[in-house]
Amino acid sequence: MHEIIFEADTPAGKAFDVGLLWTILFSIAAVMLESVASVREQFGFELRALEWGFTVLFTVEYVLRLIAVRRPLAYATSFFGLVDLLAILPTFLSLFFPGAQSLLVVRVVRMLRVFRVLKLAHLLGQAEVLMTALRASRPKIIVFLGAVLTIVVIMGSVMYLVEGPENGFDNIPRSMYWAIVTMTTVGFGDITPKTVMGQFIASVLMVMGYGILAVPTGIVSVELAAATRHGVNTQACPGCGTQGHDLDAKFCKNCGHALY
Amino acid sequence: MHEIIFEADTPAGKAFDVGLLWTILFSIAAVMLESVASVREQFGFELRALEWGFTVLFTVEYVLRLIAVRRPLAYATSFFGLVDLLAILPTFLSLFFPGAQSLLVVRVVRMLRVFRVLKLAHLLGQAEVLMTALRASRPKIIVFLGAVLTIVVIMGSVMYLVEGPENGFDNIPRSMYWAIVTMTTVGFGDITPKTVMGQFIASVLMVMGYGILAVPTGIVSVELAAATRHGVNTQACPGCGTQGHDLDAKFCKNCGHALY
Amino acid sequence: MHEIIFEADTPAGKAFDVGLLWTILFSIAAVMLESVASVREQFGFELRALEWGFTVLFTVEYVLRLIAVRRPLAYATSFFGLVDLLAILPTFLSLFFPGAQSLLVVRVVRMLRVFRVLKLAHLLGQAEVLMTALRASRPKIIVFLGAVLTIVVIMGSVMYLVEGPENGFDNIPRSMYWAIVTMTTVGFGDITPKTVMGQFIASVLMVMGYGILAVPTGIVSVELAAATRHGVNTQACPGCGTQGHDLDAKFCKNCGHALY
Amino acid sequence: MHEIIFEADTPAGKAFDVGLLWTILFSIAAVMLESVASVREQFGFELRALEWGFTVLFTVEYVLRLIAVRRPLAYATSFFGLVDLLAILPTFLSLFFPGAQSLLVVRVVRMLRVFRVLKLAHLLGQAEVLMTALRASRPKIIVFLGAVLTIVVIMGSVMYLVEGPENGFDNIPRSMYWAIVTMTTVGFGDITPKTVMGQFIASVLMVMGYGILAVPTGIVSVELAAATRHGVNTQACPGCGTQGHDLDAKFCKNCGHALY
């Protein structure tokens, strides 16, 4: 049973995963449709019934998983174990707190369950390369986000002074929201500078955002290139077990042992 | 005849292609102009006549193509064969369904026919490099799109809870539309967060979108660099085995040995 | 005199260039200020006088350039010669056509004259690398723009059908304008999809634009890396004069002659 | 004392830095909250008291720094010395100029003090790589910004002519603001082209901005790759002369010779 539920090597395991994937997607579609007022009014009962069907299915699956693993507590407190619980809990709780619509929206965490299934697919290697690149980029990205936050705080304060509440820049947090909207080039247009001075400062901020946008892209590109390059040599040194050797490495860079 | 219509090596074939290219572009311009109410009222008859001229031309071309190829059925059911048919069908059908304006818009698929012509031009090599890079990026892009979709579903649901229908976030699908508009940094501004909490979550989403924008760029950059590199010259020097020569290299840049 | 006006090696030539640069920038500032209604009303006379001062200066410079070069006609019909003429002509013509404000705006072409001055500065090498990268990217960029245009034409037509004139998508050209605004992630919000179907198609277009944005960035990155790399070895082969060798090349890749 | 305040090697120095970091962040949060009208009305007195507490703390710290350094004047006139002074001055000045709210906003420069603390953290190396890449990109970025400014001036003037004050393009500076908003893909939508000609020119500008956005990204990517590469290990193997070893390599990856 462990093999069917947790692995995807056997035909049964694969069929189980594909079935689960579609069940998850349909249950999320149902949650979405339920949020549409006109659909809820017309098909409220059907959606409710469908929802209970999905919940029962997921509950059975959850119980089976608990039985199949060797250490059920470790599973129940793991990230995916909690996600599995959150996927069924809201429907049961809605019996006791009938009006709690916000509870029902929690069910979209089911979306995260898709990753459990995909984890077993052939996309895993690619996701690993992406994750390696992002993990390697983290310290640079943190420095970068710190710089962005500083610019947002200072530019937000300056715009609050220059434009003021009469032009929609009511307070510094709101001005900072505007600064983020502008710097990320989203530009909703719900708050816009009206004074000449404000428009000039906004122009400077936009051109800065333009240039700054280049930094994370550059970081990820470089790390992704490195991850792609390094990702080919997965060999561990026979001498000391060190990994992460270059593709052209003939000797371990840590202990000098021949790699082949 | 096959050579004139399908190849571009001979002067006649080239002239045919160039003529076809311009005819396609003019016919699309005509479709566009016809959609403008003021132009349609004033020049409706002329446009109609022009349209029939183009349709007759394309029909003749379609028939000639059918005759010129060895296996007409294979051509007729190929992608470009269907595009060729779709380019002429709407005008003929409009005789039977006079009011079907939507039918006429279908004629813009003619735009796709431009690629048939360009396929024969000297840009082919470049397009090939681009396509190779995009094809190689596909598994990574799929993983990436999956992550984006998950963020969109969860963020859309959260914003639906936080902002609610009174601020324009009517239901989860509409909130997801907003999340996509925000994350891709498009930022129409037709729906914007009004509450402080909503603006904070939106800020987080925007900065995330900012960082995430870097990922596909990095992916394509890396694959494009690989495609460009590999596309150049994969030949190893017979003398010293050095690789990575330019496409126009006749001698090894390392040992001077002739490459051919 | 040729050295002072056209070169920047001598102190006099450098002083001339710096003086010219500031004069150009001030004259453009004057054109801008004149376009502001309130400034024009208050300082109209002063700006007019200033403008004539600049025009006289530029005219003297133009005449000096004509005298200084060996082939005045070749200069006058060159790109920068025409720009120099366009920089002074509008002011003179405004004597004969007093109301032609559009004529006066033409004076901003003076901005292009800045490049003539900068051409002589130490930034030339960097600009050369950028230009090389962009020139090398051109065929790929053309293929890319063709693909973008096709998507814009087809998506614009589809949205015109789906949303229609009642939602601001008045005709296909206007829908194409919207498609460009959306795909480039500008997102003005002057036209936005109102129907559910329209919002869904727009979401697809946005995510596509998101991915497509990665392509030119990748292209330029790769070519820029190549230009930076190749830019180091400016050596021509002593044997056959071929340039563009790799940095690590020891032998000419064209004739096999030793490079050192 | 110098070690505690200026260094982070000792436990006391580290504790001082962490404490300072949180004090700075809380004091900025207080400045932000004070700018919110509803909060100011309700908790005005508490925020005022808190502010004086922070100011006293920072003043004590400033005096201690002056005492701890060997050359107090050099510190006081350094960049961070001035920032430290600006962080406390506004509160004291507000005693003499009670209504000067703009003075109080100046306190957000405290944000810059965060960098003094972070300077000592382990992120320094990463920040150094980023700064190296940006510094190396500067000449290219200047050329690039010059080109952007030229396009903005000329496009702004053209749109002022084409659209005119009746469509919101009141004068050339305002048109230039629009051109920057459009080219950086921010797209507020506060000013949008209304005429067909204006929308066509805007489309061209957007596609240009799209392509141009690729240039700084490419520049930073290339320089970042170079900075990352060079930052790794510039040592050549004493045995075989091979370069490009990882930073943690102890043995040559090509010949196995010890690197030290």
Side-chain angles (χ1 to χ4, degrees):
Chain A
M1 195 161 77
H2 184 276
E3 253 181 24
I4 293 173
I5 297 179
F6 283 94
E7 308 293 336
D9 302 339
T10 58
K14 199 157 190 177
F16 178 82
D17 273 0
V18 171
L20 186 57
L21 186 61
W22 284 106
T23 316
I24 292 168
L25 293 180
F26 275 120
S27 82
I28 288 180
V31 174
M32 278 178 199
L33 282 175
E34 210 185 325
S35 79
V36 183
S38 61
V39 174
R40 192 170 51 231
E41 274 157 31
Q42 215 179 338
F43 301 103
F45 180 76
E46 288 87 339
L47 282 170
R48 211 91 263 276
L50 213 63
E51 177 51 37
W52 275 107
F54 287 129
T55 305
V56 167
L57 271 178
F58 289 146
T59 309
V60 169
E61 186 218 338
Y62 183 64
V63 172
L64 286 178
R65 275 183 198 274
L66 275 177
I67 297 170
V69 291
R70 256 181 243 138
R71 300 172 54 208
L73 198 75
Y75 160 70
T77 55
S78 71
F79 175 69
F80 274 118
L82 289 172
V83 167
D84 288 352
L85 190 61
L86 269 175
I88 50 174
L89 216 58
T91 317
F92 288 115
L93 286 179
S94 70
L95 287 179
F96 306 101
F97 312 97
Q101 218 216 340
S102 58
L103 248 166
L104 294 175
V105 172
V106 174
R107 290 173 298 172
V108 293
V109 297
R110 284 171 188 169
M111 193 71 195
L112 290 174
R113 304 192 70 217
V114 169
F115 284 92
R116 171 202 283 287
V117 180
L118 285 183
K119 237 176 89 175
L120 306 164
H122 66 287
L123 295 168
L124 180 61
Q126 300 301 329
E128 197 53 45
V129 170
L130 276 183
M131 288 309 296
T132 307
L134 287 178
R135 222 175 294 129
S137 309
R138 205 166 42 186
K140 280 204 200 67
I141 294 275
I142 288 172
V143 170
F144 168 74
L145 283 183
V148 166
L149 197 64
T150 305
I151 296 176
V152 164
V153 167
I154 291 177
M155 281 309 221
S157 305
V158 168
M159 288 303 278
Y160 167 62
L161 267 190
V162 169
E163 291 278 329
E166 64 273 22
N167 290 327
F169 293 77
D170 292 340
N171 48 56
I172 295 182
R174 207 169 148 79
S175 284
M176 282 168 62
Y177 162 71
W178 173 86
I180 290 175
V181 167
T182 304
M183 233 186 141
T184 54
T185 76
V186 172
F188 281 135
D190 50 351
I191 315 169
T192 52
K194 300 287 185 304
T195 65
V196 172
M197 192 61 196
Q199 291 182 344
F200 177 75
I201 296 171
S203 299
V204 172
L205 182 62
M206 279 179 254
V207 173
M208 266 170 68
Y210 204 72
I212 280 170
L213 195 64
V215 175
T217 309
I219 294 171
V220 174
S221 290
V222 169
E223 296 297 346
L224 206 58
T228 307
R229 218 182 315 120
H230 291 299
V232 184
N233 195 345
T234 56
Q235 196 186 16
C237 170
C240 67
T242 302
Q243 281 189 316
H245 300 291
D246 288 5
L247 194 57
D248 56 345
K250 294 175 193 149
F251 293 92
C252 173
K253 66 183 177 181
N254 187 47
C255 72
H257 195 290
L259 282 178
Y260 300 100
Chain B
M1 195 161 77
H2 184 276
E3 253 181 26
I4 293 174
I5 297 179
F6 283 92
E7 308 292 336
D9 302 339
T10 57
K14 198 155 192 180
F16 178 82
D17 274 359
V18 171
L20 186 56
L21 185 61
W22 283 107
T23 315
I24 293 168
L25 293 181
F26 276 120
S27 82
I28 289 180
V31 174
M32 280 179 200
L33 283 175
E34 210 184 326
S35 78
V36 183
S38 60
V39 173
R40 192 170 51 231
E41 274 156 31
Q42 215 179 338
F43 300 103
F45 180 75
E46 287 88 338
L47 284 169
R48 211 91 263 278
L50 213 61
E51 177 51 38
W52 274 107
F54 287 129
T55 305
V56 168
L57 272 178
F58 289 145
T59 310
V60 169
E61 186 216 340
Y62 184 65
V63 172
L64 286 178
R65 275 183 197 274
L66 276 176
I67 298 170
V69 291
R70 254 181 244 137
R71 300 172 53 209
L73 198 73
Y75 160 70
T77 55
S78 71
F79 175 70
F80 274 118
L82 289 173
V83 167
D84 289 353
L85 190 61
L86 269 175
I88 52 174
L89 215 57
T91 317
F92 288 116
L93 285 178
S94 71
L95 287 179
F96 306 101
F97 313 96
Q101 217 214 342
S102 57
L103 249 166
L104 293 176
V105 172
V106 173
R107 290 172 298 172
V108 293
V109 298
R110 283 171 190 170
M111 194 69 195
L112 289 173
R113 305 191 70 218
V114 168
F115 284 92
R116 170 203 282 288
V117 179
L118 285 182
K119 238 176 87 176
L120 306 164
H122 68 288
L123 295 168
L124 180 59
Q126 300 299 330
E128 198 52 46
V129 171
L130 276 182
M131 288 311 294
T132 306
L134 287 177
R135 222 174 293 128
S137 309
R138 205 165 43 185
K140 281 205 199 68
I141 294 274
I142 288 172
V143 171
F144 168 74
L145 282 183
V148 166
L149 197 64
T150 305
I151 297 176
V152 163
V153 167
I154 290 177
M155 281 308 220
S157 305
V158 168
M159 287 303 279
Y160 167 63
L161 268 190
V162 170
E163 292 278 330
E166 63 274 21
N167 290 326
F169 292 77
D170 293 339
N171 47 56
I172 295 183
R174 206 169 148 78
S175 284
M176 283 169 62
Y177 162 71
W178 173 85
I180 291 176
V181 167
T182 303
M183 233 185 142
T184 53
T185 76
V186 171
F188 281 136
D190 49 350
I191 315 169
T192 52
K194 300 287 186 303
T195 66
V196 172
M197 192 62 194
Q199 290 182 346
F200 178 74
I201 295 171
S203 299
V204 172
L205 182 62
M206 278 179 255
V207 173
M208 266 170 67
Y210 204 71
I212 281 170
L213 195 65
V215 175
T217 309
I219 294 170
V220 174
S221 290
V222 169
E223 297 297 347
L224 206 57
T228 307
R229 216 181 316 119
H230 293 303
V232 169
N233 197 333
T234 55
Q235 196 185 15
C237 169
C240 68
T242 303
Q243 282 189 317
H245 301 292
D246 288 6
L247 196 56
D248 55 345
K250 293 176 194 149
F251 293 89
C252 174
K253 66 183 176 181
N254 187 47
C255 72
H257 194 291
L259 282 177
Y260 302 108
Chain C
M1 195 163 75
H2 184 275
E3 254 179 25
I4 294 174
I5 298 179
F6 283 93
E7 309 292 336
D9 303 337
T10 58
K14 199 158 192 178
F16 179 82
D17 273 359
V18 171
L20 186 57
L21 186 61
W22 284 107
T23 315
I24 292 168
L25 293 181
F26 276 119
S27 82
I28 288 180
V31 174
M32 280 179 198
L33 283 176
E34 210 184 326
S35 78
V36 183
S38 61
V39 174
R40 192 170 51 232
E41 273 157 30
Q42 214 178 338
F43 300 102
F45 181 76
E46 288 88 339
L47 283 169
R48 210 92 263 279
L50 213 62
E51 177 52 37
W52 274 107
F54 288 129
T55 305
V56 167
L57 272 178
F58 289 146
T59 311
V60 169
E61 186 217 338
Y62 183 64
V63 172
L64 286 178
R65 276 183 197 274
L66 276 177
I67 297 170
V69 292
R70 255 182 242 135
R71 299 172 54 208
L73 199 73
Y75 160 71
T77 56
S78 71
F79 175 69
F80 274 118
L82 288 172
V83 167
D84 289 352
L85 189 61
L86 269 174
I88 51 174
L89 216 58
T91 318
F92 289 115
L93 285 179
S94 70
L95 287 179
F96 306 102
F97 312 96
Q101 218 213 342
S102 58
L103 247 166
L104 293 176
V105 172
V106 173
R107 289 173 299 172
V108 293
V109 297
R110 284 171 189 170
M111 194 70 194
L112 290 173
R113 303 192 70 216
V114 168
F115 285 92
R116 170 204 284 285
V117 179
L118 286 182
K119 236 175 89 175
L120 307 165
H122 67 288
L123 296 167
L124 180 59
Q126 299 300 330
E128 197 54 43
V129 170
L130 277 182
M131 288 310 296
T132 305
L134 288 178
R135 222 175 294 128
S137 309
R138 205 165 44 184
K140 281 204 199 69
I141 294 273
I142 288 171
V143 170
F144 167 75
L145 283 183
V148 167
L149 197 64
T150 305
I151 297 175
V152 164
V153 167
I154 290 177
M155 281 307 220
S157 305
V158 169
M159 287 302 278
Y160 166 63
L161 267 191
V162 170
E163 291 278 330
E166 62 274 22
N167 290 326
F169 293 77
D170 293 340
N171 47 56
I172 295 183
R174 206 169 149 79
S175 284
M176 284 168 61
Y177 162 72
W178 172 86
I180 291 175
V181 167
T182 303
M183 233 186 141
T184 54
T185 77
V186 172
F188 282 134
D190 49 351
I191 315 169
T192 53
K194 300 288 185 300
T195 65
V196 172
M197 191 63 195
Q199 290 182 347
F200 177 74
I201 296 171
S203 298
V204 172
L205 182 62
M206 277 178 256
V207 173
M208 267 169 67
Y210 204 71
I212 281 171
L213 195 64
V215 175
T217 309
I219 294 170
V220 174
S221 289
V222 169
E223 296 297 346
L224 207 56
T228 308
R229 216 181 319 118
H230 291 298
V232 184
N233 194 344
T234 55
Q235 196 186 15
C237 168
C240 68
T242 304
Q243 281 189 316
H245 300 291
D246 288 9
L247 194 56
D248 57 342
K250 295 176 195 148
F251 293 92
C252 173
K253 64 183 179 182
N254 187 47
C255 72
H257 195 290
L259 281 179
Y260 299 100
Chain D
M1 196 163 76
H2 184 275
E3 254 180 24
I4 294 174
I5 297 179
F6 283 94
E7 309 292 336
D9 303 338
T10 59
K14 199 159 193 176
F16 179 82
D17 273 0
V18 171
L20 186 58
L21 186 60
W22 284 107
T23 316
I24 293 168
L25 293 180
F26 275 119
S27 82
I28 289 180
V31 174
M32 279 178 198
L33 283 176
E34 210 185 324
S35 78
V36 183
S38 62
V39 174
R40 193 170 50 230
E41 273 157 30
Q42 215 179 337
F43 300 102
F45 180 75
E46 288 87 339
L47 283 169
R48 210 91 264 276
L50 213 62
E51 177 51 38
W52 274 106
F54 288 129
T55 305
V56 167
L57 271 178
F58 289 147
T59 310
V60 170
E61 187 218 339
Y62 183 64
V63 172
L64 285 178
R65 275 183 198 274
L66 275 177
I67 297 170
V69 291
R70 255 183 242 136
R71 299 171 56 207
L73 197 75
Y75 160 71
T77 55
S78 71
F79 175 69
F80 274 117
L82 289 172
V83 167
D84 289 352
L85 190 61
L86 269 174
I88 51 174
L89 216 57
T91 317
F92 288 116
L93 285 179
S94 70
L95 287 179
F96 305 102
F97 312 97
Q101 219 215 340
S102 59
L103 249 165
L104 294 176
V105 172
V106 173
R107 290 172 299 171
V108 293
V109 297
R110 284 171 188 170
M111 194 70 194
L112 289 174
R113 303 192 70 216
V114 168
F115 285 93
R116 170 204 283 287
V117 180
L118 285 183
K119 237 176 89 176
L120 306 165
H122 67 286
L123 295 168
L124 181 60
Q126 300 300 330
E128 197 54 44
V129 170
L130 277 183
M131 288 310 297
T132 306
L134 288 178
R135 222 174 294 129
S137 310
R138 205 165 43 185
K140 279 203 200 69
I141 293 275
I142 288 172
V143 170
F144 168 73
L145 283 183
V148 166
L149 197 65
T150 306
I151 296 175
V152 164
V153 166
I154 290 177
M155 280 308 221
S157 305
V158 167
M159 286 303 277
Y160 167 63
L161 266 190
V162 169
E163 290 279 330
E166 64 273 21
N167 290 326
F169 293 77
D170 293 340
N171 47 56
I172 295 182
R174 207 169 149 77
S175 284
M176 282 169 62
Y177 161 72
W178 172 86
I180 290 175
V181 167
T182 303
M183 233 186 141
T184 54
T185 76
V186 172
F188 281 134
D190 50 349
I191 316 169
T192 52
K194 301 287 185 302
T195 65
V196 172
M197 192 63 195
Q199 291 182 345
F200 177 75
I201 296 171
S203 298
V204 172
L205 182 61
M206 279 179 255
V207 174
M208 266 170 67
Y210 204 71
I212 280 171
L213 196 64
V215 175
T217 309
I219 294 171
V220 174
S221 289
V222 169
E223 296 297 346
L224 207 57
T228 307
R229 216 181 315 119
H230 292 302
V232 168
N233 197 334
T234 55
Q235 196 184 14
C237 170
C240 68
T242 302
Q243 283 189 315
H245 301 291
D246 288 7
L247 196 55
D248 56 346
K250 294 176 194 149
F251 292 92
C252 174
K253 65 181 178 183
N254 187 47
C255 73
H257 194 291
L259 282 178
Y260 301 109

